[in-house]
Amino acid sequence: MKGYRKYFLNKLVWFLVTFFFAFILNFILPRLMPGDPVAGIVARLAQGMTNTTGVQAIYQQYANLFGTNKPMLEQFFLYVRNVVHGDFGFSFSQYPRTVADVLKSSIGWTLALQFPAIIVGWIIGNTLGALAAYLKKGFDKVIMPISIFVSNFPAFGMAVILLVVFGVGLKWFPTSGGYGFDLIPNFSWGFVWSVIVHYQLPFWSIVLIAIGGQAIGMRSMSIYELNADYVKYSRFLGIPDRKIVGYVFRNAMLPQVTGLALSIGTMVGGALVAEIIFSYPGLGFTLLNSVTGGDYPLISASTLIITVMVLCANFLIEIIYGFIDPRIKTAQAD
Amino acid sequence: MKHTFRQVFHSGKFVVGFSIFMGLLLIVFVYPVIIKYPPLEVIGQGTFFPPGIYVNTFDSINAPTTYTLILDNAAAKRISNKLSNDDRLAMKEWLVSDGIPDTQIDTSDIVSLLDLWEKNFDPTKSFPGMTYAKERYYQRVNASLQGILSTEAEIIAAQNPQTNALEQTGVVKQTDYVNISNVANVRVLLLGTDNFGRDVLGELVKATGVSLQIGLVAGIIATLIGLALGLLGGYIGGFVDDIIMFITNMFTVIPTFVLLILISFSIGQEKRGAVTIAIVIGFTSWVWTARAVRSQVVSLRNRDHVNLSKLSGHSIVHIIATDILPYIASYVVMAFILQISSGILSEAGLSILGLGPRTTDVPTLGLMMNWAMIYQAEILGKWWAYFPVLVTIALITFSMNLMNTGLDQVFNPALRD
């Protein structure tokens, strides 16, 4: 256990540093752009207003709210203080709700949808890829082209196809929302059932996309491992095939875990778009609404939350990786 | 060089991918030469006209020559066009509710069905459980049946501007035909129109071109940045490498999609052209190329031929250009291909969020998708507005990936079957 401490600390420091930079980027990118964001917002809000003093007052109010009239460094500390307090200001498009309130209601949906979907997709994809590498021939010939095609399919495309086939055509599942529009969230059977039914299409569209890429990666990793010397040696020793396959897939799995850590950001991006297609009440849909509503505080806060989520997931995977990769244990013990 | 090309074109996957891609390119270049309609012209007054050939009714009535064709099934076709199978079943349903025995009604025999209908139908009659909408539907069906069995000609009349009276100008018999080449205005809309009433096919071809340009620009920028950083970090090593690796590692973890959203939103709707979007995508997606190039260069750095070059006193630029670049060229080309396809996907994802290029001057695949989604084409069943776009995107990315896998198999012996 002692050997892991260095690994964990290393990963933790890395996580914090990345988080810090992501935070700064989130703060600085919108402010680096030419033009005054507050002026843009006021121009939108004050459309048709002829009273210049009124416009001026609105401008002042928003400039104070965001602190854009202060020097950059002071703005930054103001921003840090607000974020630490969970205060992201008011949402423009859903006033008088606060941004924190809007995010609180959507983050649960996204977490419950995306992480199970990505993990299920990863598991199914790896199993299929491993099977394709091991069984070869017919299975491989069928699985591979499908996987390549599916993994190249845009995430929203898969969502649209599922929606049209199962939602509009076969009418098996509802086409939009997180639960029936006629229901109020509660813990009755009717509501839970409605949530489950609405969950299926977005869930499977994310799973399908994840499967393709993972299957391709796992297949080539497994083929590489199956040709390794230790496999041939074990065969000579007469170790049963089943046991060798176990070793092979354990070894092929490791890069796939790292692969998941590296690609989780992209996957979340695709999944957010899938949420939009199904009008699922998660962060993706919130993001869409905030973009269409020009809701600057909401965009900034949701991108920050998404980044934090991805970074956390990444950190978690790295930690798990530390446990399952024996090389890390030996490296740290030295 | 020649040998490499021959090898590449012997790879089945590459050839398939290459042909699909070249086919798309060919369409993008040739289509506008043959069909010269402006791609963004709004032609339809209304949304989502289905695919087909649109023949001007006025021109066909006034066609210079009309032909007479006696076709046996013309009348039957005319009737079934006006009275669909569903309508007949609905009529039967009404008649059954009215008390006529099921066995007497034959929906395939139009004459007897219409006979029964005319005798029994009463538009004011309402049955228990029949909705108002259904009642109106029957009234509409009844109205459309007027004159369905008539064999008379229709009379064309025009208003006399002096007297305001209608004067007969022509007669259209049921056996009259026009040759479509005699009709002045015929527009073929192979993929119908979109929500604005624009020709989807023309728009799609234009959009494919623009999206490919976006992918190309984004790919070039991303590859150049990635190549430069990878070469620098990998070859120079030391502190420079540490810094470059630090930045690269950070950008691998921070989701690109989020960066794209932040930057595109900050740029603002007015300044977001297709090129701007492409540049933004390029600047956020160099990470993978940088990583791959760096790891390749690190393994090349201490090879004998590189050391020999160093000893001979060649400059760094010369060493990189002659001793390193040729060895990683195949990787860079593969990465470039993938960058193009991921650039196209990024643009589409951004556009669906409403952060794509501004909509007025160019179509892109993502924007077409975005508009189709906003107007709920997928729920309304207007497949021509979104499905061809999806297929095009999938074909582009699929062909690029095939080319990439093909190249990979040629250049990476470990992956050969």
Side-chain angles (χ1 to χ4, degrees):
Chain A
M1 203 58 223
K2 204 176 166 196
Y4 283 118
R5 193 185 287 160
K6 206 171 138 201
Y7 177 79
F8 288 156
L9 276 180
N10 184 6
K11 291 292 166 200
L12 188 67
V13 168
W14 180 241
F15 169 74
L16 290 176
V17 169
T18 323
F19 175 74
F20 179 69
F21 274 89
F23 188 79
I24 288 185
L25 275 179
N26 204 63
F27 168 81
I28 224 164
L29 275 179
R31 286 170 175 78
L32 269 185
M33 294 302 148
D36 183 355
V38 179
I41 292 160
V42 173
R44 213 172 291 129
L45 283 177
Q47 256 169 14
M49 257 174 89
T50 47
N51 181 351
T52 30
T53 37
V55 174
Q56 195 63 29
I58 294 176
Y59 180 86
Q60 273 308 324
Q61 200 187 347
Y62 277 112
N64 282 335
L65 186 65
F66 296 115
T68 43
N69 45 10
K70 299 196 181 76
M72 199 65 122
L73 202 67
E74 202 178 322
Q75 280 184 47
F76 181 69
F77 285 113
L78 197 74
Y79 180 70
V80 173
R81 202 193 63 202
N82 288 343
V83 168
V84 169
H85 289 124
D87 174 15
F88 295 98
F90 286 103
S91 156
F92 291 164
S93 55
Q94 302 184 34
Y95 191 85
R97 290 178 81 189
T98 61
V99 169
D101 188 32
V102 176
L103 287 181
K104 216 182 284 168
S105 58
S106 59
I107 194 167
W109 292 100
T110 292
L111 280 177
L113 174 69
Q114 297 198 357
F115 283 91
I118 288 175
I119 288 169
V120 168
W122 185 80
I123 293 173
I124 300 181
N126 280 313
T127 317
L128 286 180
L131 283 177
Y134 182 63
L135 297 175
K136 292 186 189 120
K137 294 187 188 102
F139 192 70
D140 192 26
K141 287 268 181 309
V142 176
I143 286 293
M144 274 325 285
I146 295 179
S147 305
I148 293 182
F149 191 77
V150 164
S151 69
N152 285 307
F153 215 69
F156 57 85
M158 186 57 77
V160 169
I161 300 257
L162 286 190
L163 179 112
V164 169
V165 174
F166 295 105
V168 180
L170 297 172
K171 291 196 169 54
W172 288 357
F173 300 106
T175 53
S176 72
Y179 49 86
F181 57 87
D182 50 348
L183 296 173
I184 295 165
N186 57 22
F187 273 105
S188 68
W189 270 115
F191 181 73
V192 172
W193 178 246
S194 166
V195 168
I196 292 173
V197 169
H198 280 80
Y199 188 73
Q200 298 309 316
L201 286 183
F203 179 78
W204 289 107
S205 71
I206 299 172
V207 168
L208 277 178
I209 289 294
I211 284 180
Q214 295 299 327
I216 297 169
M218 185 64 183
R219 174 179 171 271
S220 47
M221 275 322 297
S222 304
I223 289 179
Y224 178 78
E225 289 287 336
L226 278 170
N227 293 328
D229 287 343
Y230 72 88
V231 175
K232 286 173 192 153
Y233 185 60
S234 321
R235 287 229 168 95
F236 286 138
L237 288 182
I239 296 176
D241 234 25
R242 177 183 291 244
K243 201 159 189 185
I244 301 177
V245 167
Y247 289 138
V248 165
F249 293 142
R250 245 173 66 192
N251 287 341
M253 209 66 164
L254 285 174
Q256 288 297 100
V257 177
T258 329
L260 179 65
L262 291 177
S263 61
I264 202 148
T266 324
M267 283 189 184
V268 168
L272 288 173
V273 178
E275 274 185 17
I276 292 172
I277 303 286
F278 291 107
S279 311
Y280 205 72
L283 283 174
F285 196 53
T286 306
L287 209 52
L288 174 73
N289 284 335
S290 56
V291 168
T292 44
D295 192 342
Y296 171 75
L298 192 52
I299 294 179
S300 160
S302 12
T303 48
L304 187 66
I305 293 283
I306 294 167
T307 316
V308 170
M309 273 166 45
V310 170
L311 290 183
C312 286
N314 207 59
F315 179 63
L316 222 87
I317 297 170
E318 297 268 22
I319 295 298
I320 295 171
Y321 185 76
F323 277 113
I324 54 176
D325 189 351
R327 278 170 299 190
I328 285 175
K329 191 161 56 184
T330 46
Q332 301 301 328
D334 291 342
Chain B
M1 205 61 183
K2 204 175 155 194
H3 177 70
T4 322
F5 275 113
R6 192 175 299 151
Q7 236 184 336
V8 165
F9 279 95
H10 269 291
S11 154
K13 280 183 185 152
F14 181 85
V15 171
V16 172
F18 189 76
S19 343
I20 296 177
F21 186 68
M22 281 300 136
L24 282 174
L25 267 190
L26 200 72
I27 294 172
V28 167
F29 283 114
V30 171
Y31 183 90
V33 176
I34 299 174
I35 291 161
K36 291 204 172 72
Y37 301 117
L40 285 183
E41 192 184 26
V42 174
I43 49 172
Q45 293 275 320
T47 57
F48 298 129
F49 294 168
I53 303 168
Y54 287 75
V55 182
N56 189 305
T57 325
F58 186 84
D59 289 345
S60 23
I61 288 171
N62 294 317
T65 42
T66 50
Y67 304 93
T68 305
L69 295 180
I70 311 294
L71 301 174
D72 285 344
N73 51 1
K77 272 188 179 169
R78 195 168 294 130
I79 290 167
S80 64
N81 193 24
K82 269 196 174 173
L83 195 62
S84 71
N85 238 350
D86 289 346
D87 288 338
R88 287 184 215 177
L89 287 176
M91 283 165 75
K92 182 177 177 180
E93 200 182 309
W94 194 95
L95 291 171
V96 169
S97 321
D98 199 37
I100 289 146
D102 208 340
T103 45
Q104 276 188 26
I105 308 166
D106 180 11
T107 47
S108 54
D109 183 2
I110 298 274
V111 181
S112 73
L113 182 69
L114 282 178
D115 200 35
L116 266 175
W117 181 260
E118 254 161 56
K119 270 188 211 135
N120 295 295
F121 183 70
D122 172 11
T124 54
K125 208 181 223 173
S126 178
F127 302 110
M130 192 163 85
T131 57
Y132 184 64
K134 197 86 185 169
E135 204 175 312
R136 293 296 301 270
Y137 163 78
Y138 282 118
Q139 286 167 16
R140 273 201 306 276
V141 169
N142 190 44
S144 77
L145 295 178
Q146 300 293 326
I148 195 169
L149 289 179
S150 85
T151 49
E152 315 283 299
E154 302 245 300
I155 291 166
I156 313 290
Q159 203 165 31
N160 186 321
Q162 267 98 47
T163 60
N164 272 346
L166 284 175
E167 288 168 7
Q168 178 176 337
T169 55
V171 174
V172 178
K173 291 196 289 292
Q174 292 199 345
T175 49
D176 278 356
Y177 286 80
V178 287
N179 189 319
I180 210 160
S181 59
N182 289 342
V183 179
N185 287 298
V186 176
R187 179 75 184 255
V188 183
L189 296 173
L190 276 183
L191 292 176
T193 68
D194 69 357
N195 54 296
F196 297 112
R198 305 188 290 205
D199 176 6
V200 174
L201 184 62
E203 203 187 346
L204 182 67
V205 172
K206 173 82 178 150
T208 309
V210 176
S211 279
L212 282 175
Q213 274 169 27
I214 291 180
L216 193 70
V217 172
I220 289 175
I221 291 175
T223 308
L224 284 183
I225 298 178
L227 189 61
L229 289 181
L231 281 173
L232 268 181
Y235 188 74
I236 297 174
F239 185 61
V240 178
D241 186 30
D242 286 344
I243 291 185
I244 289 178
M245 273 321 282
F246 178 75
I247 298 173
T248 314
N249 280 340
M250 219 159 57
F251 278 100
T252 14
V253 193
I254 297 174
T256 323
F257 193 61
V258 165
L259 285 183
L260 273 178
I261 291 171
L262 275 179
I263 299 176
S264 318
F265 184 72
S266 311
I267 291 174
Q269 171 77 31
E270 292 77 29
K271 295 197 191 76
R272 275 204 308 267
V275 182
T276 324
I277 289 292
I279 293 173
V280 172
I281 293 172
F283 270 99
T284 49
S285 57
W286 48 267
V287 183
W288 294 99
T289 312
R291 286 176 85 103
V293 168
R294 180 188 166 274
S295 62
Q296 288 295 312
V297 174
V298 164
S299 76
L300 278 171
R301 189 170 54 189
N302 287 322
R303 296 262 180 93
D304 287 343
H305 72 280
V306 179
N307 283 330
L308 192 67
S309 217
K310 269 187 217 161
L311 285 176
S312 325
H314 290 309
S315 66
I316 290 186
V317 179
H318 184 263
I319 296 177
I320 287 181
T322 57
D323 298 318
I324 300 220
L325 268 185
Y327 287 83
I328 57 169
S330 63
Y331 278 86
V332 175
V333 170
M334 284 190 277
F336 177 59
I337 291 178
L338 287 188
Q339 294 281 14
I340 295 178
S341 94
S342 79
I344 290 169
L345 286 184
S346 298
E347 185 275 325
L350 268 184
S351 295
I352 283 196
L353 259 179
L355 286 173
R358 63 176 180 278
T359 43
T360 42
D361 40 281
V362 285
T364 69
L365 294 173
L367 284 175
M368 288 183 76
M369 202 66 207
N370 184 28
W371 283 113
M373 294 289 111
I374 290 175
Y375 279 78
Q376 300 201 306
E378 81 280 20
I379 306 223
L380 300 172
K382 315 289 184 191
W383 58 268
W384 56 89
Y386 64 89
F387 196 66
V389 182
L390 277 184
V391 170
T392 313
I393 296 179
L395 274 182
I396 293 175
T397 50
F398 186 58
S399 66
M400 297 242 166
N401 258 49
L402 271 185
M403 281 195 262
N404 187 63
T405 342
L407 287 177
D408 211 11
Q409 275 174 349
V410 171
F411 293 115
N412 190 350
L415 285 179
R416 266 178 225 157
D417 296 326

